[in-house]
Amino acid sequence: DKHRSKDGSWDVIVPGSGGKDSGYVSVMLKKKYGMHPLTSTWAPMIDTDIGRKNLTSFIDSGFDNILGTPNGKIQRKLSKITFTEFGDHFMPFTYGQFCFPLQTAINYKIPLIFYGEDGDVEYGGSLDRYNQPKFDLDYTIKTKWRAGSPDKWTKFGMKQNELIQYSIPPIKDIKSAGIEIHYFSYYHSWKPKKNHQVAKENTGFKSNPEGRSEGTYTDFASIDDKTDGFHYYMAFIKFGIGRATADASHQIRDGELTRDEGVDLVHKYDKEFPKRYLKEFLEYMDMDMDILSKIIDKFRKPLIWKKENDEWLLKHIVKKL
């Protein structure tokens, strides 16, 4: 009620790609709460055919959208730096994905932003703010941002003016604009399978026609970028848990899978190497397979991995009860 416009003008920003989650949030805000969303999309690194089609269908279903597309040369350079140094080529995308909606909110004077889920709460992380509906910018900068702030990329040859799109707007501007960032998952039970169904029925969302995503058993999540598989695979390398673990754990909590079924799926898919778009990924990162393998092995922790007969094996494997 505080934010809803009376003349149909935009009153909330929903960041998203036109996928199942942003589709679900946008539909709920518009149809259930009578809001007028302006959706904000940070372009993928290498978009997929189905990702482009889903974004178009989402817009055609009745949503205004602003697309932020960064300088391709800078994005590729940053991706290679962060993959080599931090084992995550997705860092530039993550920063842009967060900063672009903030920049949009300030530019269009729309002080309400609604994200989908709180990732820490839904997929594993700090529970310090478990009962907080709002995104705390000060807390995030203090606990997460400083460790890998875009400012640190200057020591790898990046210029300050090249990092503007990846940087948080001045805090004083954010606070003076009265911007509030909320998590929709705080107000509604967050079930990916349900989100998928709502988006399918209301925005024309379609699952991956190529079948399940590599590293997991689902075919409807994070399917708009050809480089996604390497982001999830590096999580498996660093922590010993991958995309199938994240998906199965959530569905077990949602009552859609038994734990034993989830364990079987994790054993089958978690360690799968993303080869479907390997050629495109190597070209994008300007590296060969030998360099890629060395970077991957660089992030294997001895606590998690052991090598036997030239094969890397996990030291600890989840078992059925």
Side-chain angles (χ1 to χ4, degrees):
D1 290 343
K2 173 184 173 183
H3 293 274
R4 189 184 298 109
S5 69
K6 295 179 180 179
D7 61 0
S9 57
W10 299 319
D11 47 25
V12 59
I13 289 180
V14 180
S17 65
K20 64 175 178 55
D21 293 335
S22 54
Y24 167 69
V25 174
S26 300
V27 167
M28 290 289 285
L29 286 171
K30 183 176 181 178
K31 293 194 173 183
K32 182 170 180 141
Y33 297 103
M35 300 294 284
H36 310 90
L38 171 61
T39 62
S40 168
T41 301
W42 183 250
M45 296 184 188
I46 310 176
D47 57 354
T48 61
D49 290 341
I50 190 61
R52 282 195 302 274
K53 289 177 181 177
N54 279 333
L55 179 58
T56 299
S57 294
F58 172 69
I59 295 168
D60 289 346
S61 72
F63 291 98
D64 296 314
N65 177 265
I66 290 183
L67 177 66
T69 308
N71 181 314
K73 188 176 290 187
I74 292 174
Q75 180 98 326
R76 288 193 298 275
K77 185 176 179 181
L78 284 175
S79 296
K80 186 171 184 178
I81 289 171
T82 57
F83 186 68
T84 304
E85 298 295 326
F86 306 107
D88 188 3
H89 76 284
F90 240 42
M91 286 178 72
F93 176 80
T94 303
Y95 282 125
Q97 192 179 40
F98 174 65
C99 295
F100 184 62
L102 274 172
Q103 294 161 0
T104 304
I106 292 173
N107 291 339
Y108 284 86
K109 296 180 173 55
I110 304 172
L112 181 62
I113 300 175
F114 247 106
Y115 275 94
E117 77 275 39
D118 181 340
D120 281 2
V121 174
E122 296 297 329
Y123 292 102
S126 171
L127 296 180
D128 287 352
R129 297 187 51 75
Y130 178 81
N131 288 314
Q132 302 298 318
K134 294 182 185 179
F135 183 98
D136 188 317
L137 190 59
D138 292 332
Y139 172 81
T140 298
I141 291 173
K142 179 181 178 182
T143 59
K144 296 182 178 180
W145 198 268
R146 287 178 182 168
S149 167
D151 291 339
K152 294 190 176 183
W153 299 340
T154 55
K155 69 180 182 181
F156 299 106
M158 300 303 301
K159 297 176 183 177
Q160 201 69 49
N161 68 318
E162 294 176 326
L163 303 175
I164 293 174
Q165 291 200 77
Y166 304 92
S167 302
I168 296 177
I171 302 299
K172 62 179 179 60
D173 292 348
I174 296 174
K175 292 186 175 180
S176 66
I179 292 175
E180 297 180 13
I181 305 174
H182 290 250
Y183 294 112
F184 201 77
S185 61
Y186 178 85
Y187 304 98
H188 285 264
S189 176
W190 192 256
K191 295 187 176 182
K193 200 170 182 179
K194 175 192 68 178
N195 298 359
H196 171 224
Q197 191 61 35
V198 171
K200 181 180 177 181
E201 292 172 358
N202 291 275
T203 72
F205 176 83
K206 288 184 169 49
S207 299
N208 192 349
E210 296 181 355
R212 66 173 183 84
S213 299
E214 291 171 304
T216 192
Y217 56 93
T218 63
D219 63 356
F220 53 73
S222 195
I223 58 173
D224 59 331
D225 194 321
K226 291 182 178 180
T227 74
D228 274 17
F230 291 91
H231 172 66
Y232 291 105
Y233 185 72
M234 289 306 295
F236 173 68
I237 295 298
K238 290 178 177 181
F239 308 113
I241 55 175
R243 193 170 184 176
T245 296
D247 290 345
S249 296
H250 210 296
Q251 289 197 305
I252 291 168
R253 294 195 297 274
D254 293 342
E256 294 165 359
L257 286 177
T258 66
R259 185 182 180 280
D260 283 353
E261 287 172 333
V263 171
D264 284 340
L265 290 167
V266 167
H267 285 170
K268 188 172 184 179
Y269 297 119
D270 231 19
K271 64 184 178 181
E272 184 177 28
F273 181 80
K275 60 185 179 181
R276 182 178 294 160
Y277 300 118
L278 175 60
K279 180 181 177 183
E280 290 93 329
F281 182 75
L282 290 174
E283 289 176 354
Y284 185 85
M285 300 295 286
D286 188 27
M287 61 178 61
D288 57 27
M289 194 63 206
D290 184 55
I291 294 174
L292 175 62
S293 298
K294 287 177 181 177
I295 293 173
I296 289 172
D297 290 345
K298 169 182 167 182
F299 290 96
R300 295 183 192 268
K301 296 182 179 71
L303 176 68
I304 298 173
W305 294 94
K306 61 183 177 180
K307 200 169 189 180
E308 291 183 0
N309 300 320
D310 287 331
E311 181 181 3
W312 286 107
L313 302 172
L314 287 172
K315 286 186 176 180
H316 310 283
I317 299 178
V318 63
K319 297 179 174 63
K320 293 184 180 181
L321 295 176

